[in-house]
Amino acid sequence: MDIEHWVDWDSLNKKRWHSIHELIVPDRQPTLPPKPGGFDFHDGTEQGWTLDQLYDQEEKSMPPVIPPGCPPGGPFYLCNSQNLALTAWTPFLATPDAKVTQCNIYLNSPDLSTNADWQKISGYSIDLQREITCVMGEPKPPQFWCLLQIYLKNKADGAVKHLAEAEGPNGPFSFHPIELHKTYQFAWNPPTLVAARGDYTVTKLRIRLTSWIPAGIGAGELPLQGAWLVGNINPL
């Protein structure tokens, strides 16, 4: 890990957010220049990234999960945190549906088709920190994961190809377990992407974030609260 990336993130550790306003106050300045084409979020915006939510991880079709009483646009909200990170934040996450035990959200990049810095890449890297947990304490064992993905378009016929971190060419997805208050840097160089350079256009990055969700009768008394923080998304 490049520790310099995290010189300003130490002050975020163990911070318990109670409102979205606490996340977006720009009280720190960036310390490193951005890499060409990279997303550093130092400008106070989401830099074109969007949030897709909320999906049932346990069902193969991954149907949407809509907790009762969820405000419009929720339960996660996308914002910039202190000119440092793209932030998916929730004030309250729980469901009375006992069949739902894990859920997914997706962070989607803007269209990269015409961005020369993202073409002919060998992969990409991200910095990640989890500040979301149960208000009654961390579940045992922790049940939070990250998976990097990328979308390509064939230049010849326009077919879309979806790549994700996996254990070998035909193996299962390779999820990264994410601990609370710990900072990570992941670099992914899929061999398939390297082999396809020149034949495909890189169109989109997608970051899949999976978490346990309090479910069943009484789940609302011990919801998840907090945020996922993502920064320094760079081409390799």
Side-chain angles (χ1 to χ4, degrees), residues 114-125:
T114 60
N115 189 325
D117 293 314
W118 284 94
Q119 305 309 315
K120 298 185 179 181
I121 61 172
S122 61
Y124 70 99
S125 63

Side-chain angles (χ1 to χ4, degrees), residues 136-192:
M136 299 299 291
E138 186 77 351
K140 301 295 184 182
Q143 300 177 53
F144 300 84
W145 299 271
C146 171
L147 181 74
L148 303 185
Q149 302 174 313
I150 192 167
Y151 282 81
L152 311 173
K153 180 182 284 187
N154 189 299
K155 293 180 179 180
D157 59 14
V160 175
K161 187 178 184 68
H162 171 216
L163 302 180
E165 291 181 285
E167 299 174 8
N170 299 307
F173 287 156
S174 182
F175 289 91
H176 302 282
I178 307 299
E179 297 181 18
L180 186 65
H181 306 317
K182 183 176 178 180
T183 54
Y184 295 83
Q185 185 178 70
F186 298 120
W188 179 41
N189 301 86
T192 304

Side-chain angles (χ1 to χ4, degrees), residues 14-226:
K14 301 181 181 179
K15 180 175 177 64
R16 179 65 64 84
W17 294 298
H18 296 285
S19 77
I20 195 168
H21 303 290
E22 294 182 48
L23 282 173
I24 62 176
V25 176
D27 59 357
R28 294 173 181 80
Q29 296 300 315
T31 57
L32 293 177
K35 293 185 178 181
F39 299 93
D40 58 15
F41 307 105
H42 291 173
D43 62 359
T45 75
E46 295 82 51
Q47 297 187 347
W49 283 71
T50 56
L51 172 65
D52 186 15
Q53 63 175 329
L54 183 72
Y55 298 96
D56 184 353
Q57 161 73 11
E58 294 298 295
E59 291 287 336
K60 187 174 182 179
S61 62
M62 283 196 292
V65 177
I66 305 175
C70 181
F76 281 89
Y77 301 90
L78 199 64
C79 64
N80 182 297
S81 179
Q82 303 176 67
N83 292 358
L84 291 171
L86 181 68
T87 303
W89 172 84
T90 181
F92 184 98
L93 180 60
T95 178
D97 187 350
K99 298 190 298 296
V100 180
T101 59
Q102 295 178 359
C103 60
N104 293 321
I105 64 172
Y106 297 94
L107 301 179
N108 292 312
S109 77
D111 186 357
L112 302 174
S113 301
T114 60
N115 189 325
D117 293 314
W118 284 94
Q119 305 309 315
K120 298 185 179 181
I121 61 172
S122 61
Y124 70 99
S125 63
I126 71 167
D127 293 343
L128 176 71
Q129 185 167 312
R130 175 170 70 88
E131 294 297 324
I132 181 173
T133 190
C134 179
V135 297
M136 299 299 291
E138 186 77 351
K140 301 295 184 182
Q143 300 177 53
F144 300 84
W145 299 271
C146 171
L147 181 74
L148 303 185
Q149 302 174 313
I150 192 167
Y151 282 81
L152 311 173
K153 180 182 284 187
N154 189 299
K155 293 180 179 180
D157 59 14
V160 175
K161 187 178 184 68
H162 171 216
L163 302 180
E165 291 181 285
E167 299 174 8
N170 299 307
F173 287 156
S174 182
F175 289 91
H176 302 282
I178 307 299
E179 297 181 18
L180 186 65
H181 306 317
K182 183 176 178 180
T183 54
Y184 295 83
Q185 185 178 70
F186 298 120
W188 179 41
N189 301 86
T192 304
L193 179 60
V194 175
R197 283 190 298 189
D199 297 328
Y200 285 84
T201 299
V202 175
T203 60
K204 183 176 73 174
L205 311 179
R206 188 166 79 163
I207 301 170
R208 175 174 170 175
L209 301 171
T210 302
S211 72
W212 163 77
I213 179 172
I217 297 175
E221 298 180 6
L222 41 91
L224 294 185
Q225 289 182 344

